[in-house]
Amino acid sequence: PDDLLSAKVQSLCPTITGSICCTEAQFDTLRSQVQQAIPFLVGCPACLRNFLNLFCELTCSPNQSQFINVTSISQTKNNSTVDGIDYYITDTFGEGLFDSCKDVKFGSANTKAIDFVGSGAKNFKELFAFLGQKAAPKLPGSPYAINFRSDADVSVGMKPMNVVLVVIVLRLLFVPVLPLNHFMKK
């Protein structure tokens, strides 16, 4: 890929370095689709990054062949297009993604972001089931069905995607409250 495309991919998908496995059109589609979720998830940088990593790896990872298996294709005019895939992901990644997003609040209504991006999912399997639904043409969502699975067949070289999760730990500093006279000269 050219340097400009690589830089664009890196700006959205920092876990993908060096080789990339997507065209500029595929990347532009990825970016426009995830842009719709960003306002809901931006309140938690770890949630947002984990969510982006899920779709960045799916779209542009040079290791796609290890964790994506095309399960169905369809004919559109004279072209074959992907209609369904198995996306192998570790349960650890799925749980971490869900846990980083489940309590993120959105907007002044103080509602949970997961209600918007995950249809109110109660666990990562429900989240993945919602995200994997094929969307109608020209509507937000996946252009093909995604079956998220954790049971990769290692005998044929499949290996679940397991990008390092982003976890933000808040450190609370204890600052003792001192009486005002503590700061006054004696």
Side-chain angles (χ1 to χ4, degrees):
D2 65 30
D3 290 341
L4 180 59
L5 178 57
S6 290
K8 286 168 69 174
V9 170
Q10 281 260 291
S11 70
L12 185 68
C13 309
T15 58
I16 299 174
T17 58
S19 296
I20 59 172
C21 191
C22 58
T23 65
E24 188 156 8
Q26 289 169 324
F27 175 74
D28 289 342
T29 299
L30 165 68
R31 186 176 52 210
S32 69
Q33 290 288 337
V34 298
Q35 289 293 335
Q36 298 171 48
I38 289 174
F40 298 104
L41 305 177
V42 73
C44 176
C47 168
L48 178 59
R49 174 54 42 215
N50 293 330
F51 186 85
L52 291 175
N53 286 346
L54 176 71
F55 292 103
C56 285
E57 293 294 319
L58 168 66
T59 307
C60 294
S61 172
N63 302 315
Q64 289 172 349
S65 65
Q66 295 176 352
F67 51 79
I68 295 174
N69 184 39
V70 175
T71 57
S72 64
I73 58 170
S74 61
Q75 289 298 122
T76 307
K77 298 179 184 170
N78 292 330
N79 295 320
S80 294
T81 60
V82 172
D83 199 43
I85 65 168
D86 285 338
Y87 185 1
Y88 295 95
I89 298 180
T90 64
D91 285 348
T92 300
F93 182 86
E95 289 167 359
L97 167 64
F98 182 78
D99 287 347
S100 69
C101 294
K102 68 182 178 186
D103 294 321
V104 175
K105 300 288 185 184
F106 170 71
S108 59
N110 204 29
T111 56
K112 290 187 176 185
I114 202 79
D115 293 343
F116 294 98
V117 299
S119 189
K122 302 293 183 224
N123 57 56
F124 81 94
K125 292 186 185 237
E126 289 180 11
L127 174 64
F128 284 172
F130 176 75
L131 294 175
Q133 293 175 1
K134 181 178 179 178
K138 307 220 186 241
L139 289 178
S142 179
Y144 46 82
I146 304 171
N147 182 23
F148 291 92
R149 300 178 57 172
S150 61
D151 61 336
D153 186 353
V154 293
S155 69
V156 294
M158 299 303 283
K159 182 174 132 183
M161 191 281 291
N162 191 29
V163 170
V164 174
L165 288 159
V166 175
V167 179
I168 295 183
V169 178
L170 296 176
R171 234 174 109 186
L172 300 175
L173 298 176
F174 176 73
V175 179
V177 177
L178 300 173
L180 185 57
N181 64 1
H182 177 80
F183 297 99
M184 304 196 142
K185 288 186 176 183
K186 293 184 179 180

